[in-house]
Amino acid sequence: MPRIAYVNGRYVVHAQASVHIEDRGYQFADGVYEVCEVARGHIVDMPRHLARLKRSLKELSIAWPVSEGVLPMLLREVVGRNGVVNGLVYVQVTRGVASREFVFPAAGTRSALVITARKADPALAAKRAETGIKVITVPENRWDRVDIKSTGLLPNVLAKQKAKEAGAQEAWFVDTDGNVKEGGSSNAWIVTRDGVLVTRPAEHGILRGITRTTLFDVAAKLGLKIEERGFSVAEAKAAREAFISSATTIAMPVVEIDGAPIANGHPGSMTLSLRQAFFDVAEKSPA
Ligand code: PMP
């Protein structure tokens, strides 16, 4: 079965799918996106992801590419046509195709919509969670609207490449006060010596991760305490546990920060409990 992508109203073979060279996403990164996890045949937290997409579009004055109510159906269709039971579905909306001028194109220019889906092996993620991941820290060098899920991800690309070259799997952006902001494609968490979950407030300077939001629900169910506050790299290195969250990693233990092991260098039990309970608590839309 060939992979199928949805591109501006058409279902096309993924390998042959293309967009116009004057798509503003291609030329200016003038677009936004969402990634939802697909697990056991369900799209995870789809309403929350689509609500954030709506916010991103509004913040950038990009028009809906299709009527809002149709999008869940399109996501399901792309997941179904690709036979994805476990994996992810990706949605991207750009300001559309127009002659290359910085200012917005003429009113009525249709925004462009691409939806793809990809299979992933849950056994591989489970295996990774057993050993945990390593992170490096990098100075924050992004713009201050990272609350918008924009496709402009060059600093994230460079930070994650740097992590890879250092033998790590994620890079944490650190602000000028020495506090951790978030990862290149994830939110950052620690568990204090007293067993309190700590993550930076999402009001400013980070993306309000959907997994982060749902982990608040999971923590409430498990009776765990959360403090929303900044934490420094030094505090993270001295923490009982550290982990990242994102739609594709859920809660993934961090066992090393800049080469320093966290606690005994093994995944933390609270992180693994959150990971374990996540699917039950998350909202599941049958694909
Ligand atoms: N921060 C950044 C910069 C991200 O790219 C992501 C992943 N999209 C997240 C946080 C986590 O967000 P979510 O839980 O919605 O995947």
Side-chain angles (χ1 to χ4, degrees):
M1 178 165 88
R3 274 184 81 190
I4 301 294
Y6 173 96
V7 184
N8 295 321
R10 292 205 180 86
Y11 293 96
V12 291
V13 174
H14 192 280
Q16 274 124 47
S18 60
V19 292
H20 196 278
I21 56 167
E22 288 199 301
D23 187 293
R24 291 179 63 94
Y26 176 60
Q27 296 198 323
F28 296 115
D30 190 358
V32 298
Y33 73 106
E34 281 296 328
V35 178
C36 302
E37 188 204 11
V38 180
R40 303 175 219 177
H42 293 77
I43 302 178
V44 177
D45 282 329
M46 180 164 63
R48 280 179 171 167
H49 281 282
L50 295 184
R52 186 173 63 185
L53 180 68
K54 182 177 187 171
R55 178 181 181 277
S56 296
L57 290 169
K58 183 162 170 281
E59 291 296 315
L60 298 180
S61 306
I62 298 176
W64 275 92
V66 289
S67 66
E68 209 180 313
V70 170
L71 210 45
M73 193 203 80
L74 295 178
L75 262 69
R76 278 194 201 101
E77 187 68 25
V78 174
V79 169
R81 283 186 189 229
N82 287 282
V84 175
V85 177
N86 293 293
L88 62 85
V89 56
Y90 176 88
V91 188
Q92 177 174 306
V93 183
T94 74
R95 205 182 301 276
V97 174
S99 166
R100 191 181 180 281
E101 304 288 344
F102 282 78
V103 294
F104 292 178
T109 302
R110 286 196 56 173
S111 39
L113 173 62
V114 167
I115 307 173
T116 57
R118 176 165 99 190
K119 293 178 185 172
D121 182 357
L124 281 181
K127 212 164 163 210
R128 170 131 286 183
E130 276 173 25
T131 48
I133 63 159
K134 299 175 182 176
V135 307
I136 60 163
T137 60
V138 293
E140 176 66 288
N141 61 353
R142 301 173 300 164
W143 73 328
D144 73 353
R145 290 309 309 275
V146 293
D147 56 300
I148 300 169
K149 202 161 168 57
S150 149
T151 56
L153 292 168
L154 197 46
N156 311 55
V157 166
L158 297 178
K160 288 183 74 92
Q161 178 62 24
K162 196 171 173 198
K164 185 178 176 187
E165 287 168 10
Q169 290 74 36
E170 181 58 297
W172 279 358
F173 290 110
V174 176
D175 68 18
T176 47
D177 295 330
N179 287 327
V180 175
K181 293 187 88 179
E182 61 179 336
S185 61
S186 59
N187 289 119
W189 301 68
I190 57 168
V191 178
T192 66
R193 296 265 159 197
D194 303 329
V196 178
L197 285 157
V198 180
T199 193
R200 189 183 176 103
E203 274 61 50
H204 189 73
I206 64 165
L207 182 75
R208 188 183 292 276
I210 301 305
T211 317
R212 176 186 180 281
T213 299
T214 298
L215 282 173
F216 276 64
D217 300 339
V218 178
K221 194 182 162 203
L222 300 180
L224 305 175
K225 199 174 156 217
I226 300 188
E227 267 174 31
E228 264 185 294
R229 62 167 173 84
F231 60 87
S232 66
V233 175
E235 186 180 1
K237 284 181 180 167
R240 185 199 281 182
E241 300 181 24
F243 65 96
I244 60 165
S245 69
S246 75
T248 50
T249 60
I250 314 301
M252 180 61 71
V254 169
V255 294
E256 207 178 285
I257 300 171
D258 288 335
I262 305 307
N264 62 2
H266 293 290
S269 57
M270 200 177 281
T271 307
L272 295 177
S273 317
L274 288 164
R275 181 180 180 83
Q276 177 92 35
F278 186 86
F279 184 73
D280 271 354
V281 176
E283 185 170 353
K284 296 163 281 284
S285 310

